[in-house]
Amino acid sequence: MRRLRSSTVVLGGMGVLAATITACGSDPDRRCVDPLTREELPSYQCQSGGGDDDGNGGTHRGAYYYGGSVQDRKVSGGSFDKTAVDTGGFGCSGSGTGGG
């Protein structure tokens, strides 16, 4: 039986540790969405928040939507409240409901 080299074991362990830290600390997916129609918008529509004047005579009509999924340009299964979305991950205890 072949023994693993210590460098292989260390590198493998570091990879698992990095994946765990990243999964626990990662933010949920964030999309720019029209709050009324729940249609996905270009990101510049959210940069100053929903309904704010953009300084060029236009308005930003989008708001950030966290988690969920997109189907036919409509979002579902997430929330406009970032703290309500459970990011999950290995070894994490999520407290969010994920409701929208």
Side-chain angles (χ1 to χ4, degrees):
M1 190 159 148
R2 200 172 126 196
R3 289 183 58 188
L4 293 175
R5 293 185 183 190
S6 61
S7 61
T8 304
V9 173
V10 170
L11 288 176
M14 293 300 285
V16 169
L17 178 63
T20 302
I21 291 170
T22 303
C24 287
S26 65
D27 287 331
D29 290 340
R30 180 176 83 167
R31 299 172 176 87
C32 186
V33 172
D34 183 320
L36 299 176
T37 65
R38 295 206 174 201
E39 181 178 322
E40 192 171 25
L41 300 171
S43 61
Y44 68 84
Q45 290 287 338
C46 286
Q47 289 178 351
S48 292
D52 293 338
D53 185 356
D54 68 3
N56 295 321
T59 58
H60 293 284
R61 65 181 182 139
Y64 286 116
Y65 188 85
Y66 300 93
S69 60
V70 180
Q71 185 174 7
D72 298 326
R73 296 198 46 160
K74 302 273 183 168
V75 295
S76 63
S79 176
F80 287 103
D81 180 7
K82 181 179 180 180
T83 61
V85 179
D86 182 10
T87 58
F90 178 74
C92 299
S93 58
S95 59
T97 60

